Amino acid sequence: MDNSVTEVTTIGSTHSPPSMGHDETKAVKTLRLISIFFLFCVIPIAIGVYLYTANAEDEEFENQYFEFANKVLESIGATLENSFGALDNLATSVVAAAHAANQTFPNIRVANFGIHAAKTLSLSRAKIIVMCPVVKGGQFEAWHNWTLQEGRTWVDETVNVQKTDPNYFGPIVEEYFTRDEIHTRNGATEAM
């Protein structure tokens, strides 16, 4: 038996059995190599782009967050400055009025206190302004007598301001009563 390869000849061409599909196999292998090359190149690029954009978005979010937080804090600070400025102005007016009238604390009466308080309310955006002087032990009797003389006038004057103030929206209390007591840290005590 002859082990030699026999060539089959058809009209105009010669084929040898071992080369059959060789070109297609070579093309598939080349395509696989190109695919693997792109896979190893594209995946790191995609991961890099993702990480870059994710970090950029995080940075942008943080920058906007801190920018808005600073605006809120600046707004709160400005509001507090205006509020405390208005209250400081009222306190200064009370002290100046007491000094000008040669009055001593706690027995002071500020002329037009209701007007001063109304203006301070609108500027400070406070809900209520109350003046509560500190009355110490030896001042109880003098304070009690002074409030009986001056207290009602002061309250009535303030009620009149509330009636005419277009910015005042609270209740107007014209009927009120006074108590014959002074409040201390230990509760109410009858005046001496």
Side-chain angles (χ1 to χ4, degrees):
M1 230 195 198
D2 186 15
N3 284 342
S4 66
V5 176
T6 316
E7 286 188 70
V8 177
T9 306
T10 51
I11 305 175
S13 72
T14 59
H15 289 287
S16 61
S19 68
M20 202 169 139
H22 179 67
D23 291 337
E24 289 83 7
T25 304
K26 188 175 181 181
V28 169
K29 284 183 181 178
T30 304
L31 189 58
R32 280 187 188 164
L33 286 175
I34 291 172
S35 297
I36 290 171
F37 174 75
F38 279 127
L39 188 65
F40 282 115
C41 289
V42 170
I43 288 177
I45 290 172
I47 290 172
V49 168
Y50 170 76
L51 291 175
Y52 175 77
T53 57
N55 288 338
E57 286 177 358
D58 288 346
E59 278 185 36
E60 181 64 24
F61 173 78
E62 287 178 11
N63 289 340
Q64 284 183 354
Y65 174 83
F66 286 116
E67 186 178 320
F68 291 143
N70 285 335
K71 285 180 183 178
V72 168
L73 289 176
E74 287 173 6
S75 174
I76 291 171
T79 301
L80 285 175
E81 272 186 38
N82 290 340
S83 296
F84 288 129
L87 293 171
D88 181 58
N89 186 35
L90 177 65
T92 303
S93 297
V94 169
V95 171
H99 182 71
N102 204 19
Q103 298 173 341
T104 58
F105 286 92
N107 302 342
I108 60 164
R109 182 174 182 280
V110 179
N112 300 315
F113 178 78
I115 294 171
H116 293 293
K119 288 181 179 181
T120 303
L121 275 173
S122 66
L123 292 174
S124 68
R125 297 182 181 162
K127 299 297 179 196
I128 187 170
I129 293 181
V130 179
M131 188 168 138
C132 299
V134 176
V135 180
K136 298 190 178 175
Q139 300 171 321
F140 283 165
E141 189 172 347
W143 170 254
H144 175 70
N145 293 332
W146 184 83
T147 55
L148 289 176
Q149 292 172 356
E150 297 288 333
R152 207 169 241 320
T153 305
W154 199 350
V155 172
D156 291 340
E157 180 183 281
T158 303
V159 170
N160 287 332
V161 170
Q162 291 173 345
K163 285 180 187 177
T164 59
D165 184 4
N167 296 320
Y168 180 75
F169 299 105
I172 296 176
V173 181
E174 295 183 77
E175 304 268 338
Y176 60 91
F177 66 95
T178 57
R179 296 184 179 188
D180 196 20
E181 59 189 24
I182 297 175
H183 290 270
T184 67
R185 291 184 185 143
N186 300 325
T189 307
E190 285 193 27
M192 297 177 192

